[in-house]
Amino acid sequence: MSTSTGVFYAFARNINTDWSGRYLIAFANRDVADTWHRTVIDSVAQGYPKFASVKRTALQWYTYNPDVGSITDTVNDSKVALALRGQIFFTLLNDREHRILSTIPVLNYRDHINGASFYIRSVSQPDIYWFYNAAEMAVVASRHRRTRFTITIADRARAPGTIIIGSDDVYITTPSGANVGVANSLDDQLSRSANPFPFRFSAFHGDFQIDESLSESLDPGLEPIVRNPGKGETWDLV
């Protein structure tokens, strides 16, 4: 999960015209942006069509049809994202004829797409990646090797391509299809699991850490990744 600290920006475009109704959206962080989008699409799926025109076409780009429902009203509607109103605001941009377009920062993020594969990298030590050591059937930290893990939402009702948010339970699998889980007999070390093992997606923000005390049986420089809820470090999905 790419680190979510810091304000996250996106544009919203009126699909009915190319000159007006354009917004800059400021979110408290990237997680808020993804959660807001999930609440919008879930409200439509649950039979509330007011914001059915709101579409996410890219990580920082949305479109909407004001004749169906204004995107700005999503945070004032108790059936959608009222709970997030204090973490989001919309700024109406100048119309096209005024020639000014506010520019948002370019953010080096990957979309957290259900079913996609990612390298998992330490935020505090960006040269350290998760590596699946097949010989030991364990996930370890390495500066020289890395594994691309597939992240899948555990709820099968979520289609491939759905944006993953922090409250989702997810499965982690290796390229060979091995499930990654927690071996309680091995001090919560991440290792191969016989069955899919659910992790909360937000666990990448502080529940996993490198444990050098468990590395004696492994190759030098391959320290185990263990689960230590609330006491771990932050990891990027890249």
Side-chain angles (χ1 to χ4, degrees):
M1 169 182 275
S2 294
T3 180
S4 66
T5 58
V7 178
F8 185 86
Y9 300 95
F11 287 121
R13 186 189 188 283
N14 176 357
I15 62 171
N16 291 335
T17 178
D18 68 343
W19 66 272
S20 67
R22 303 178 298 179
Y23 288 92
L24 172 66
I25 316 174
F27 301 93
N29 54 56
R30 189 260 181 91
D31 291 346
V32 171
D34 287 345
T35 301
W36 168 80
H37 175 250
R38 174 69 68 82
T39 65
V40 172
I41 61 175
D42 279 357
S43 71
V44 176
Q46 293 163 9
Y48 186 62
K50 183 176 180 180
F51 302 107
S53 72
V54 176
K55 305 297 181 184
R56 184 182 189 273
T57 60
L59 186 63
Q60 294 177 270
W61 193 273
Y62 294 88
T63 60
Y64 74 102
N65 183 344
D67 293 340
V68 177
S70 176
I71 194 170
T72 61
D73 290 338
T74 57
V75 294
N76 295 310
D77 195 317
S78 61
K79 294 182 180 180
V80 189
L82 181 63
L84 297 174
R85 185 166 62 183
Q87 302 178 74
I88 303 169
F89 69 80
F90 295 81
T91 300
L92 182 63
L93 299 176
N94 291 313
D95 293 338
R96 185 187 63 196
E97 281 76 5
H98 290 280
R99 302 181 182 176
I100 297 174
L101 178 65
S102 299
T103 303
I104 62 177
V106 176
L107 302 176
N108 186 24
Y109 285 130
R110 271 203 66 191
D111 251 346
H112 298 148
I113 297 175
N114 180 28
S117 297
F118 306 87
Y119 293 116
I120 302 173
R121 179 181 65 190
S122 169
V123 170
S124 61
Q125 303 178 77
D127 60 335
I128 292 180
Y129 289 81
W130 286 20
F131 170 66
Y132 181 68
N133 186 338
E136 299 286 343
M137 294 189 293
V139 178
V140 297
S142 175
R143 284 186 164 88
H144 306 291
R145 287 180 279 181
R146 57 186 177 177
T147 299
R148 190 182 289 274
F149 295 89
T150 299
I151 311 295
T152 307
I153 299 176
D155 182 357
R156 293 186 177 181
R158 299 292 180 186
T162 299
I163 301 303
I164 310 172
I165 63 175
S167 59
D168 285 327
D169 286 333
V170 298
Y171 298 136
I172 304 173
T173 55
T174 70
S176 65
N179 299 302
V180 173
V182 170
N184 292 323
S185 61
L186 295 175
D187 298 312
D188 283 337
Q189 181 178 342
L190 299 193
S191 58
R192 181 167 183 167
S193 173
N195 299 301
F197 190 101
F199 295 96
R200 188 59 56 92
F201 189 58
S202 59
F204 289 107
H205 283 298
D207 285 1
F208 300 122
Q209 71 176 45
I210 302 169
D211 193 335
E212 297 180 2
S213 67
L214 297 178
S215 63
E216 294 180 358
S217 64
L218 300 174
D219 295 336
L222 299 178
E223 287 77 23
I225 301 293
V226 299
R227 184 173 65 172
N228 190 5
K231 297 181 180 179
E233 60 180 284
T234 301
W235 301 84
D236 270 342
L237 273 59
V238 299

